[in-house]
Amino acid sequence: MGFYPSTYKQIETVFTFQVLDDYRLENLECQTSCHHYYSKLRRMTNSIFPTSVPVRSEAELARARDMKWFGFGHTDAIPGDTDLALFCPTCPQPDGTHQQQLRTTDDVWIKDGEGFMTHRAPYFDHLRCTTEIREPCTCNEHRAVLDRAKPHKGCDVTGIGAFACLRHGCYCPGSIVDFQVGERQMNVDYGLVQAFNNTRTDKAPKIIVVYDINCQYSKNLRKRVEAGRYLHFRPGLNLVAGIGMFHVHGHQDVCYGRYAPRFIPGAGQSDGEVLERLFSILNGISTIARTMTLAHRTENVDAHMGDNNFKKMIDMVPTLCKKWKNVCSSAIDACSDFELLSQSATPEQTELWTVSVQTAERLREEGNVEAMDIYNVKGIKVIPQTEIQANLMQAEQEADSGVGVTTWLVAGMKIQEAQAQLVSFIRRQGKKPSGDQRLQINRKRQALRRKADEFQDSFQQLFPAVALDGVDLREIPYGDDVLGDDEDEAYLATVPRGEVEKMEIFLPSTCPGELPRQLKTAAKVELKLRIAQAENALEGVRREIGHKSFLFRNNIALAINKQMKTRAYSAVKAADDEVRQFVRVYNQARNTILALGCSEDIAARYQKLLPEQLVALKSIYEPNARGAGTYSLPWFWMLQVGSDSDSSEYMDELYRVNWMRARAKMLRWEEESILIPSEMKWTTFFFHNRANGWKTREAMSHKTGHQAYARKQVALWTELAEHAQTAFNSCLIRYTVPPSMEDRM
């Protein structure tokens, strides 16, 4: 008859299937709550007196629809865990916050483990018998770590932990867990184990697990699983930990080489940020979920995750075709970049580097992630300015003398750096800035003025006996004479001295003549800080010149059209801007060091930087050019900034890291060229398998309605399979990978 009752006892209200299907789409696409949808129906029924329409509810329609879709309506079988959830059609397989406003006693759980949420009873048993161990943080303080102990008053659930396939973004059935007190490891452990079990992933020879804080989470994962009563890993399971390409840049530098998917064999071109994209959609239901009962919320989350996987399935064919087209175009650049770098290195070097990478990858799979540090530059390090500052502050505290002087000096140095940045910003606005540009300049001036006033107040507190009245402070140059090839002196604005950005800051280095007794100790401290500032600035100059050199070599030299050259030169200009900023800081530090009366050795070490010394290294971007063999590096490449390090070692390191990263990039594209054709086959097999399953149900059914529905499903899945096969064949014929890559495949 086309009606569905709201209850099986004392039926008073029925819904048409049309209105139930309409509500489902409203909820999935527009995140409309059941309450608001029913309010709409009441207004449609009686727009003048909508409250006269009685409030009804529907309970089991979602389960009935799932039972029908997954074929349980044709048998007497009872669905088990994850049997009412659709997983990824392409992966190989064998066949938001909830705040409970009012607790209810008649909460009906339509699903309990059959969909995407975990089975409740064993999950809560695991939580009751497990103790969360707070581990010391070894990386940056990330929000996911800090929120573990954050209280959430009045909340039954503070969020969810979800798992999805890395390459296609389909939620894993039976693995979604609720968080009670933030993102604790004990919650994630249980969901991870269930994700492995329910997707048969634990049978794979190697599993790549990508998590935003994997540098912390993965350290004791196996120990926690071994100790857990409800947790189990297959013996010998090979887990490789990774961090998404977006989040890894928020970690310490060493995490990039250790956990970036770009350096994990088998990851292909997956960036590891698939859940961020999924949650950007799922977060839309967080508002309506706050007022739901726990059971209703679970059903709603299950419905949205199932709808996501369904959309992924029907969009998988064009998605894989688009990926294959991207592989065929991008793989050419990756191969060319690597071959060009390999031609510049000796066979001995490439053999040594290849063995080093293979050894590091083997050690990582054995649990030694530190071996992947070979992807990071090492051996040439300067002592950070912050470490020098910390040592000086500690010395002040131990001597109980001059406490606060170091902090005051660093504040003054930062103000001078901010002044140099503001001067550069004003000059770039031109001689006739617009109203908006003048507004930005004045805002920056106000902020800088506040900092200068605070600095002046700190000086009066530290040195109350030193008078500044009538003192003509020494002027410190700001390095304005450092210009790039693309800058026109006639265009740049001039900044008169006297404005806040060129106001003299009182420091021991700017004090003329004989220093007062109270400032002589501060002058020694400032000299140490200025030396550290100069070293860090020179390190930045070397780094950005090296970066610019490889941009000339890899981007500009390989550009095949005007658009590519324009983008490449834009990247070079950005690197030039960074170089100029570091040069300004260095010039400021150098002039200050000389003003403080340093020794001759120190003065000889920090020479003047000339514009011709700041160009890209010809030995990098044009190693075969005429005269390249006699080209000598500028003096700042020769500085002994590390133990036994010299210019040749630095360049060796620069070559090594860039060669290894180019090799990893090429290999990931090679993997992509192998994975995508295989995924095309697996997708077609999935559709055929579904069609065969419904053929079997049709043969087993004796009811006309069941047979008709089964035939409809057979036709649907067969059409999907035929469409996929046709699209994939056409795509593979039309687009091909480079011949050099085919030889290695």
Side-chain angles (χ1 to χ4, degrees):
M1 295 178 62
F3 297 114
Y4 194 87
S6 63
T7 178
Y8 295 126
K9 299 178 181 179
Q10 298 180 352
I11 299 175
E12 298 180 0
T13 301
V14 294
F15 298 95
T16 65
F17 284 101
Q18 182 181 1
V19 77
L20 292 174
D21 289 337
D22 182 65
Y23 163 67
R24 180 172 179 270
L25 285 178
E26 285 267 2
N27 178 263
L28 294 176
E29 295 295 340
C30 307
Q31 288 83 45
T32 304
S33 67
C34 184
H35 169 76
H36 289 96
Y37 185 78
Y38 201 84
S39 296
K40 168 188 166 183
L41 294 182
R42 296 173 77 184
R43 291 186 62 182
M44 293 174 64
T45 303
N46 191 335
S47 61
I48 306 300
F49 302 103
T51 56
S52 64
V53 180
V55 178
R56 306 297 185 190
S57 63
E58 56 91 14
E60 296 190 353
L61 174 77
R63 181 179 178 86
R65 184 188 298 109
D66 289 339
M67 293 276 286
K68 180 181 178 182
W69 173 260
F70 288 98
F72 286 95
H74 291 65
T75 65
D76 296 328
I78 299 176
D81 288 352
T82 75
D83 283 344
L84 300 183
L86 177 69
F87 186 44
C88 180
T90 305
C91 290
Q93 46 191 304
D95 194 32
T97 302
H98 172 80
Q99 183 168 349
Q100 183 68 18
Q101 302 291 344
L102 178 64
R103 296 180 182 272
T104 58
T105 57
D106 58 348
D107 209 0
V108 180
W109 293 85
I110 305 301
K111 285 184 179 180
D112 190 10
E114 297 94 340
F116 292 90
M117 303 295 289
T118 57
H119 199 285
R120 298 174 66 245
Y123 176 49
F124 287 124
D125 289 341
H126 162 73
L127 296 180
R128 277 191 290 268
C129 68
T130 305
T131 302
E132 179 76 5
I133 300 176
R134 192 172 182 84
E135 300 175 358
C137 184
T138 57
C139 190
N140 297 337
E141 292 287 346
H142 301 289
R143 181 177 177 182
V145 177
L146 296 176
D147 283 354
R148 285 188 299 179
K150 184 178 180 181
H152 296 268
K153 187 176 180 180
C155 293
D156 293 312
V157 178
T158 62
I160 62 171
F163 300 84
C165 62
L166 177 66
R167 291 189 53 78
H168 314 109
C170 292
Y171 289 106
C172 298
S175 64
I176 313 303
V177 294
D178 286 327
F179 292 147
Q180 294 76 31
V181 192
E183 196 168 332
R184 296 180 297 178
Q185 292 180 343
M186 58 194 294
N187 301 92
V188 181
D189 291 344
Y190 188 86
L192 181 65
V193 171
Q194 295 303 311
F196 288 169
N197 295 337
N198 296 329
T199 60
R200 314 299 193 271
T201 309
D202 58 339
K203 304 295 192 298
K206 181 174 73 173
I207 305 176
I208 300 173
V209 180
V210 179
Y211 185 24
D212 299 347
I213 53 172
N214 235 340
C215 58
Q216 188 77 28
Y217 172 77
S218 62
K219 282 192 172 182
N220 297 309
L221 173 60
R222 292 185 183 275
K223 293 181 180 179
R224 295 195 302 271
V225 171
E226 292 174 359
R229 185 186 306 176
Y230 295 89
L231 305 177
H232 176 70
F233 278 167
R234 171 177 59 83
L237 184 63
N238 185 8
L239 293 180
V240 178
I243 299 174
M245 292 302 298
F246 174 78
H247 288 86
V248 75
H249 295 293
H251 289 245
Q252 294 181 0
D253 292 342
V254 294
C255 291
Y256 182 72
R258 297 176 183 180
Y259 299 103
R262 293 291 181 265
F263 308 131
I264 300 179
Q269 287 299 314
S270 302
D271 61 3
E273 298 294 346
V274 64
L275 277 177
E276 297 301 319
R277 303 184 186 95
L278 296 179
F279 279 165
S280 67
I281 301 173
L282 192 64
N283 286 339
I285 68 171
S286 60
T287 302
I288 64 176
R290 290 190 179 100
T291 56
M292 293 179 180
T293 65
L294 291 174
H296 187 193
R297 169 187 167 276
T298 297
E299 297 161 22
N300 201 29
V301 172
D302 258 354
H304 279 268
M305 290 185 173
D307 187 60
N308 170 81
N309 286 11
F310 177 78
K311 290 179 179 178
K312 294 286 185 181
M313 179 190 72
I314 60 179
D315 290 339
M316 192 60 67
V317 174
T319 298
L320 290 178
C321 291
K322 183 178 179 181
K323 284 185 175 182
W324 178 251
K325 180 181 177 181
N326 188 32
V327 167
C328 295
S329 59
S330 300
I332 297 175
D333 295 336
C335 290
S336 299
D337 291 350
F338 177 68
E339 290 172 359
L340 192 60
L341 282 171
S342 296
Q343 291 172 4
S344 302
T346 64
E348 293 77 13
Q349 284 178 316
T350 56
E351 182 179 358
L352 176 62
W353 295 340
T354 302
V355 173
S356 299
V357 171
Q358 293 173 346
T359 302
E361 291 172 348
R362 176 178 54 79
L363 292 175
R364 176 177 50 191
E365 293 189 2
E366 296 174 359
N368 182 13
V369 294
E370 290 81 2
M372 297 302 294
D373 289 344
I374 61 171
Y375 280 104
N376 298 321
V377 177
K378 56 186 177 181
I380 302 178
K381 301 292 182 182
V382 298
I383 301 177
Q385 189 174 346
T386 53
E387 186 173 339
I388 300 294
Q389 178 184 348
N391 294 337
L392 292 172
M393 292 174 65
Q394 183 177 354
E396 290 175 352
Q397 296 169 6
E398 292 175 352
D400 196 18
S401 175
V403 177
V405 172
T406 299
T407 304
W408 170 72
L409 289 170
V410 171
M413 292 165 58
K414 288 184 177 179
I415 290 175
Q416 288 184 334
E417 290 184 13
Q419 287 178 311
Q421 292 175 359
L422 183 52
V423 168
S424 176
F425 176 78
I426 295 174
R427 287 164 62 85
R428 290 198 304 270
Q429 308 313 306
K431 294 186 176 181
K432 295 181 179 180
S434 64
D436 290 339
Q437 290 172 331
R438 292 201 308 271
L439 180 61
Q440 287 185 350
I441 291 173
N442 288 326
R443 285 176 175 173
K444 291 178 180 292
R445 281 174 171 166
Q446 288 179 0
L448 188 56
R449 171 67 70 178
R450 286 194 298 269
K451 292 181 181 179
D453 292 342
E454 293 173 359
F455 175 77
Q456 186 71 14
D457 294 339
S458 299
F459 171 77
Q460 296 294 344
Q461 295 175 5
L462 287 171
F463 307 101
V466 179
L468 294 180
D469 298 336
V471 178
D472 187 14
L473 299 179
R474 182 187 293 120
E475 296 180 1
I476 299 295
Y478 288 89
D480 292 345
D481 55 334
V482 181
L483 300 175
D485 296 335
D486 58 339
E487 291 184 319
D488 185 3
E489 182 67 46
Y491 168 77
L492 297 176
T494 57
V495 182
R497 186 167 292 276
E499 299 286 356
V500 62
E501 58 270 15
K502 284 201 170 181
M503 177 182 64
E504 287 77 16
I505 300 297
F506 185 83
L507 288 167
S509 55
T510 60
C511 184
E514 183 70 18
L515 286 174
R517 178 181 54 82
Q518 298 91 333
L519 291 177
K520 289 184 177 180
T521 302
K524 297 179 181 178
V525 175
E526 185 182 2
L527 179 60
K528 295 179 180 179
L529 290 171
R530 293 294 185 178
I531 291 175
Q533 184 185 34
E535 291 287 356
N536 281 266
L538 288 176
E539 176 68 10
V541 170
R542 287 191 292 265
R543 182 175 64 250
E544 292 304 324
I545 289 178
H547 177 212
K548 182 168 65 172
S549 303
F550 278 98
L551 286 175
F552 271 107
R553 173 171 183 157
N554 297 343
N555 294 30
I556 294 177
L558 299 177
I560 58 177
N561 53 46
K562 184 177 179 181
Q563 183 181 17
M564 292 179 64
K565 279 190 177 292
T566 301
R567 291 179 178 176
Y569 276 112
S570 297
V572 171
K573 183 181 181 302
D576 273 333
D577 292 339
E578 291 293 325
V579 170
R580 284 193 291 272
Q581 182 56 37
F582 283 120
V583 170
R584 291 185 181 101
V585 174
Y586 171 77
N587 285 346
Q588 198 173 73
R590 176 179 179 271
N591 287 309
T592 304
I593 290 172
L594 298 177
L596 288 169
C598 63
S599 65
E600 293 183 1
D601 292 340
I602 295 178
R605 176 180 176 87
Y606 301 108
Q607 305 173 30
K608 185 177 180 180
L609 288 176
L610 302 175
E612 58 267 22
Q613 297 172 335
L614 306 176
V615 298
L617 297 175
K618 188 173 289 188
S619 58
I620 291 292
Y621 72 87
E622 201 175 4
N624 296 326
R626 187 185 297 264
T630 59
Y631 174 75
S632 59
L633 292 170
W635 61 269
F636 54 85
W637 291 90
M638 311 294 184
L639 289 181
Q640 298 292 326
V641 295
S643 59
D644 298 329
S645 61
D646 53 24
S647 60
S648 60
E649 183 181 351
Y650 188 90
M651 298 310 301
D652 244 6
E653 189 72 4
L654 209 59
Y655 265 119
R656 181 188 64 80
V657 170
N658 280 272
W659 183 89
M660 288 182 176
R661 293 186 179 186
R663 176 182 179 273
K665 179 181 178 181
M666 182 198 64
L667 291 178
R668 299 297 84 80
W669 280 113
E670 282 188 5
E671 292 166 359
E672 198 78 359
S673 67
I674 297 173
L675 285 170
I676 291 179
S678 299
E679 289 171 343
M680 291 177 173
K681 295 179 182 178
W682 297 332
T683 303
T684 307
F685 289 161
F686 175 84
F687 293 149
H688 281 303
N689 188 49
R690 285 277 172 163
N692 293 333
W694 280 106
K695 288 179 181 179
T696 303
R697 294 186 184 97
E698 179 188 1
M700 295 172 57
S701 300
H702 302 290
K703 297 181 180 180
T704 304
H706 287 183
Q707 292 175 347
Y709 183 79
R711 283 194 292 270
K712 176 183 176 182
Q713 291 296 312
V714 170
L716 184 151
W717 293 106
T718 302
E719 183 179 0
L720 285 174
E722 292 174 351
H723 167 68
Q725 190 67 56
T726 302
F728 291 153
N729 289 340
S730 175
C731 181
L732 292 173
I733 294 173
R734 185 175 181 181
Y735 303 103
T736 57
V737 296
S740 58
M741 186 169 288
E742 287 183 344
D743 296 339
R744 286 189 287 264
M745 290 171 55

